[in-house]
Amino acid sequence: MRSSGVGRWSGPLSERKRRGCPDQRECRRQPPCAPVWQAALAGLVRVLSCAGFLLVAGALAAAPPARLTLWQGFKFSEVPMLRRNVDEFVAEYRQRTGREVVIEIGQVPFSDMVKRLKSAALARQMPDMAIIDANSMVQLAFGGVALPLDTLPNFPAASIDELRARYVPGAFDTNVITFKGERHLYGLPAQTTTLALFWNKGMFRAKAKELREAGLDPERAPRDWDEVVRYGKVLTEPSKNLYGFGMNNSFWFSMPFYNQYGVEIVRRNEAGLLEAAFRGPRAEAAVNRRVGLYREHGIEGGAWREGALDPDQGFLNQRYAMILVGPWQIENFRSSGLDFGVALVPRVPLAEAKALGLVPPDADENSTAVHALSASNIGGQNIMVSTSSKHPDIALEFALHFTSEKVQRAWAEELGQIPILLAAQQNLKLDKFPEVPVFIEQINLAKPLPALPYGGVLETEIVNPEMNLVLQGRQTAAQALERICAQIERRVLKPVNDAEMAARAEIRAKTPSGN
Amino acid sequence: MPNQPRRTRRLTADALWGYIFIAPFVVVAAVFLVFPIGYSFYLSLRETTLYSSWYNQFSDMVWMGAGNYVSLLTSKVFWYSLLATFLYAALLIPLSLAASLSLALVLNNQRLPGYQALRSAFFLPHVFDVFVVGIIWLLLFNSTSGPFASLFEALGITWFKVHGFLDNPVTVLPSIAFAMVLKGMGFGMVLFIVALHNIPESIFEAADIDGASPAQKLFRVTIPLLRPMILFLVVTSLMGVLNGFTEFYAMTRATGGPSVSFLGETVQAGRVSGLHLYRLFDESFYGHAAAMSFILLVIALLITAVNFKLLGDRSQ
């Protein structure tokens, strides 16, 4: 670089001769003997360059900040924490990159989020990010509004599976969606929930004598479904509207039964296409176990009916001694002065598990395989980045910040949430929320709903009505499962498989012949 | 006729002014009525797909032709929804008319102490929102802790405690109809009172002279003379039932209530046409939802035509 500079200063040989330089070599080392006007011009150019540089630098410094919008449906008690996280991110981002970011938070009712996003997409008013129901993620991916995060240049891992190892697997999996034959990550888990068993300690104590007489400990929750029945029979008094158990008929709330019995809802066949798998002895056993609590044993208070006292309200009113519910109700129950405990979802009884081949024949009560039978379901919310975002890289950085260990620890310790990052689940200070460790244990045994489009149809139009008929005693479990499978095939899977076949045909058509 | 061309010109000018005056309303009607109806029909011939982009939901639909109509007309759930709607109408309309007329006859007696306060009290539920009323009735009909179930239990009838009101396929439609009768009878009462005031007193005096008993006066004089009002209420109630949605949404928690088997298909007992239409729309099957709305429109037009015919015959 330096030599070229000298050359530039030295100028052509003829010019040096013309200026009368005595020694041409010496002249090469000397600054040019330019006339005054040339020097002035050069000076002017330098001044202008400096001024231009300062102008550009100033303009850059005054550039408008990157503006992003975030729609969320958190509870009002959680929003201050979210605002704090946003402020921390903005400050940290400014310090790291020197760039200003503004994140505007929009409050949308949780249950309306998908509808609002649909309207927003039509009106070209999509937010850059949205925190949505984990089970709705697949709709957004298929609708082309959720950006595959693994395609962004600042994706923080070499592969989706590498990133998965850091998170609660079930919660993470709700974001991994196969779309037109391609598997991508469409979001990150932002908040996760699962169901656990809530039991009313006061109601148990009120029947302590009877429970002891039945050989049961009134100071603990039942561990398997046979125990639930035994406890329930002591606790149930229909004449006083008191029941041992209250359950919801929704598919999502029933998933712990199906997960425990190792039931698949759909699976991929040898051709790689989806097929309904919600049938067979295990599925029938799961349905019969659930329905039997109401029909056979009479310990369920009819909370599954739309017009009855629902499980949460019944638990609050001390009508149902045990229910399956998530951590979102802890504060509600606590503020009502209810004396309650939280335990793992009761599991399949060991003998039944062995008979169904769910555990090895030599498994005992303390084995890991038996512990894993307490499987529950996965809910919660994911954070997605919109395909119309002008700053998807910043949005991804915010999503990663929100799921970082520091933030997740704060959500657990200050709000009693289940951390979605595995590292954040260790050494938590949970003095205010003694129930959270149970939920952490439960979430790691949980499995999500299958990631299918038309998930709403699956739940409200297919499974719930059929199960309602079983609970009414108007059809058997086997009949219901056959009808459910037929409808899943026709209304949910056929469109997906047709689309996948079309996508494969398209890929084949693009592939050069002979390959 | 030398003046004729001049008169024609004047008529044309008058017509022009007329068109100018109605133009704003025509434009508003075209934008907010004609275009949406036309566009809905266009949508009814198309359907969203699994991959329809949310950014272009309506333009990213595929052509179905009459496919949506065929699909609906061969759907058992659709036919059940129509059947449930007409069952609901058969329960609601006669009960509503009977309750409204009874109230009107009682409260038309101005010698009854507090009749004005009673009229206001019975009319009051009509001004409440259907959704709010539905939620209140949901609590009242609660089979575990609701007052109705407890009342029947106290009377020795435990059936409702076990099977519920809104939880049972047999009772869900009658329960909703009962709630809506109580909500709407005040409005019918007001209309009947107005109609009763319009019956000339001389007719009743003539009946008295002829020695008619109170029952004869009611069935031979009052009710025949109230027939135009009855027909009017039947027509408007039928239209209301065809559009019925909110009460079912609120009282069955948007599901349609308990399941029932209909021709081998599982459907929800309270899934009337309005709720079925909503569910189709909610699941983003916009083409099916639009097609269903046109089928319901045709049914509504047919019912209206029959009623107009009846009303027309009567007035002649």
Side-chain angles (χ1 to χ4, degrees):
Chain A
M1 293 294 284
R2 195 173 172 81
S3 61
S4 68
V6 170
R8 184 153 44 86
W9 272 105
S10 56
L13 184 62
S14 56
E15 178 61 17
R16 289 199 295 271
K17 280 181 179 170
R18 193 178 62 80
R19 279 191 244 148
C21 291
D23 183 353
Q24 289 176 11
R25 277 187 195 163
E26 185 61 26
C27 187
R28 280 196 190 100
R29 294 190 196 104
Q30 298 287 328
C33 317
V36 174
W37 68 269
Q38 276 185 331
L41 187 64
L44 185 65
V45 167
R46 275 182 223 164
V47 168
L48 286 175
S49 302
C50 286
F53 174 77
L54 286 171
L55 275 173
V56 170
L60 276 176
R67 286 190 175 276
L68 290 96
T69 45
L70 167 66
W71 284 8
Q72 50 81 29
F74 285 137
K75 289 193 285 189
F76 288 120
S77 58
E78 296 166 344
V79 174
M81 175 70 94
L82 176 68
R83 289 195 188 284
R84 206 173 86 191
N85 302 148
V86 166
D87 293 343
E88 286 164 359
F89 171 75
V90 167
E92 185 264 334
Y93 189 83
R94 186 194 305 121
Q95 195 178 18
R96 187 160 44 86
T97 64
R99 193 175 177 192
E100 285 290 339
V101 176
V102 175
I103 297 180
E104 288 163 6
I105 300 173
Q107 182 81 34
V108 175
F110 173 73
S111 54
D112 282 350
M113 182 64 84
V114 172
K115 284 177 199 158
R116 295 281 291 270
L117 286 173
K118 270 188 184 173
S119 310
L122 268 177
R124 304 291 190 274
Q125 297 287 321
M126 273 290 284
D128 296 86
M129 296 171 277
I131 297 176
I132 60 154
D133 179 12
N135 296 318
S136 303
M137 201 68 204
V138 69
Q139 289 185 54
L140 279 85
F142 275 64
V145 291
L147 188 74
L149 302 183
D150 53 315
T151 60
L152 288 172
N154 58 338
F155 184 66
S159 69
I160 294 172
D161 292 324
E162 186 189 310
L163 194 65
R164 183 181 186 268
R166 302 177 203 170
Y167 291 90
V168 171
F172 188 88
D173 289 346
T174 59
N175 297 281
V176 183
I177 294 155
T178 302
F179 176 67
K180 288 191 176 175
E182 289 185 24
R183 181 174 172 263
H184 287 292
L185 180 73
Y186 286 88
L188 287 176
Q191 197 181 43
T192 192
T193 59
T194 188
L195 296 177
L197 181 77
F198 281 61
W199 57 289
N200 186 317
K201 290 182 177 175
M203 289 176 79
F204 273 55
R205 256 184 245 123
K207 292 268 183 179
K209 187 168 163 268
E210 292 90 332
L211 286 170
R212 283 202 186 91
E213 282 169 4
L216 298 164
D217 180 359
E219 297 300 322
R220 71 161 176 87
R223 293 188 183 120
D224 67 36
W225 289 111
D226 280 349
E227 271 196 2
V228 170
V229 171
R230 289 175 64 204
Y231 273 90
K233 285 194 169 166
V234 176
L235 295 164
T236 299
E237 277 188 88
S239 60
K240 292 183 181 172
N241 276 336
L242 300 177
Y243 292 91
F245 192 65
M247 69 182 181
N248 197 306
N249 183 39
S250 115
F251 181 46
W252 187 77
F253 274 88
S254 314
M255 281 306 290
F257 289 90
Y258 307 133
N259 286 337
Q260 292 191 358
Y261 279 83
V263 179
E264 285 182 295
I265 310 301
V266 295
R267 64 170 163 241
R268 288 203 178 267
N269 61 19
E270 288 168 3
L273 297 174
L274 291 166
E275 63 180 19
F278 195 22
R279 53 164 71 93
R282 288 181 181 179
E284 282 176 40
V287 174
N288 286 330
R289 170 62 71 181
R290 187 169 155 268
V291 173
L293 298 174
Y294 173 74
R295 296 206 64 81
E296 187 186 339
H297 305 296
I299 63 160
E300 202 281 334
W304 55 272
R305 298 181 306 203
E306 278 92 357
L309 194 65
D310 66 54
D312 300 357
Q313 199 60 41
F315 190 75
L316 203 62
N317 295 352
Q318 312 215 48
R319 300 285 181 195
Y320 309 139
M322 294 175 277
I323 59 167
L324 298 182
V325 77
W328 60 87
Q329 282 290 5
I330 291 175
E331 201 52 49
N332 191 20
F333 293 156
R334 193 180 285 161
S335 62
S336 304
L338 213 59
D339 186 12
F340 65 95
V342 179
L344 291 183
V345 176
R347 57 172 167 70
V348 185
L350 185 57
E352 190 182 5
K354 284 181 182 175
L356 289 166
L358 297 169
V359 291
D362 58 344
D364 61 22
E365 292 285 352
N366 300 317
S367 66
T368 315
V370 172
H371 180 65
L373 287 173
S374 288
S376 188
N377 58 356
I378 293 263
Q381 303 189 70
N382 296 339
I383 183 164
M384 53 77 72
V385 177
S386 151
T387 44
S388 60
S389 173
K390 288 177 184 164
H391 308 286
D393 51 335
I394 302 175
L396 174 59
E397 286 208 31
F398 175 74
L400 290 165
H401 173 80
F402 189 76
T403 60
S404 65
E405 187 174 341
K406 184 185 154 198
V407 171
Q408 288 297 307
R409 276 185 181 281
W411 277 77
E413 291 174 353
E414 294 178 40
L415 294 171
Q417 303 279 341
I418 307 168
I420 46 85
L421 201 73
L422 295 175
Q425 292 181 354
Q426 311 301 317
N427 307 317
L428 286 168
K429 290 175 192 159
L430 294 168
D431 310 335
K432 285 196 283 182
F433 302 99
E435 301 87 1
V436 171
V438 177
F439 280 104
I440 291 176
E441 190 180 355
Q442 187 74 75
I443 197 84
N444 292 324
L445 298 171
K447 295 172 192 168
L449 279 173
L452 292 169
Y454 302 140
V457 174
L458 178 69
E459 168 140 7
T460 59
E461 303 286 299
I462 299 176
V463 180
N464 294 356
E466 297 293 349
M467 288 303 163
N468 184 287
L469 270 188
V470 182
L471 283 160
Q472 286 183 51
R474 290 169 192 261
Q475 69 177 348
T476 64
Q479 287 169 331
L481 292 169
E482 275 315 308
R483 291 168 97 159
I484 288 170
C485 283
Q487 287 194 69
I488 290 176
E489 293 279 2
R490 180 169 57 87
R491 297 172 70 176
V492 180
L493 301 186
K494 187 176 181 300
V496 182
N497 285 337
D498 286 351
E500 196 150 318
M501 295 285 275
R504 286 182 195 180
E506 201 176 313
I507 292 165
R508 271 199 302 274
K510 283 180 187 167
T511 311
S513 58
N515 289 343
Chain B
M1 301 291 283
N3 287 342
Q4 196 163 359
R6 203 174 145 195
R7 195 177 165 190
T8 309
R9 272 203 303 277
R10 195 164 57 235
L11 273 177
T12 310
D14 286 347
L16 186 65
W17 277 111
Y19 288 132
I20 288 169
F21 280 122
I22 64 164
F25 306 103
V26 171
V27 170
V28 168
V31 172
F32 293 106
L33 199 68
V34 179
F35 174 73
I37 290 173
Y39 192 66
S40 294
F41 184 69
Y42 171 72
L43 286 184
S44 77
L45 305 174
R46 297 161 67 83
E47 189 52 280
T48 49
T49 69
L50 202 59
Y51 297 132
S52 290
S53 165
W54 282 19
Y55 293 114
N56 305 297
Q57 279 248 301
F58 295 111
S59 55
D60 207 9
M61 295 165 90
V62 293
W63 177 256
M64 298 289 289
N68 291 332
Y69 291 92
V70 172
S71 164
L72 276 170
L73 293 171
T74 53
S75 158
K76 289 172 189 168
V77 182
F78 168 75
W79 285 109
Y80 178 81
S81 76
L82 281 185
L83 178 69
T85 306
F86 286 109
L87 269 174
Y88 177 63
L91 288 165
L92 180 83
I93 295 171
L95 274 175
S96 190
L97 286 174
S100 303
L101 183 57
S102 306
L103 268 181
L105 290 169
V106 172
L107 297 180
N108 195 35
N109 180 1
Q110 296 185 3
R111 281 170 296 179
L112 185 78
Y115 75 95
Q116 281 176 321
L118 285 169
R119 282 182 190 178
S120 302
F122 281 110
F123 185 74
L124 199 61
H126 177 69
V127 299
F128 289 154
D129 186 79
V130 182
F131 187 80
V132 175
V133 172
I135 294 294
I136 293 169
W137 277 100
L138 187 64
L139 299 173
L140 293 174
F141 280 138
N142 190 303
S143 54
T144 322
S145 57
F148 282 94
S150 303
L151 180 71
F152 279 106
E153 194 182 25
L155 295 171
I157 304 165
T158 55
W159 193 88
F160 293 106
K161 195 85 178 170
V162 176
H163 297 97
F165 294 92
L166 299 169
D167 322 329
N168 191 286
V170 180
T171 52
V172 62
L173 286 176
S175 300
I176 296 173
F178 177 72
M180 289 302 112
V181 165
L182 291 188
K183 182 191 180 299
M185 66 184 184
F187 180 66
M189 172 198 73
V190 169
L191 294 181
F192 276 127
I193 287 174
V194 172
L196 284 170
H197 284 177
N198 287 337
I199 299 174
E201 196 59 34
S202 57
I203 297 176
F204 291 107
E205 287 167 3
D208 284 337
I209 291 165
D210 290 344
S213 66
Q216 281 174 322
K217 277 196 283 183
L218 175 65
F219 290 105
R220 299 283 174 86
V221 179
T222 310
I223 290 178
L225 289 172
L226 287 177
R227 192 173 285 181
M229 181 55 74
I230 293 171
L231 284 169
F232 169 76
L233 281 172
V234 168
V235 173
T236 51
S237 301
L238 264 173
M239 293 303 112
V241 168
L242 274 178
N243 293 321
F245 160 72
T246 316
E247 58 269 43
F248 293 91
Y249 182 88
M251 293 173 77
T252 67
R253 302 184 195 218
T255 63
S259 300
V260 65
S261 199
F262 176 72
L263 303 175
E265 189 94 13
T266 301
V267 291
Q268 284 106 338
R271 180 171 284 224
V272 291
S273 51
L275 190 63
H276 187 51
L277 177 61
Y278 164 77
R279 298 295 316 179
L280 288 171
F281 188 82
D282 193 46
E283 298 294 348
S284 302
F285 297 119
Y286 302 124
H288 276 77
M292 183 157 175
S293 67
F294 273 92
I295 294 173
L296 291 178
L297 176 69
V298 170
I299 294 169
L301 288 174
L302 284 173
I303 291 169
T304 312
V306 170
N307 281 301
F308 266 101
K309 177 87 176 117
L310 289 172
L311 278 169
D313 288 351
R314 186 66 203 163
S315 59
Q316 279 164 18

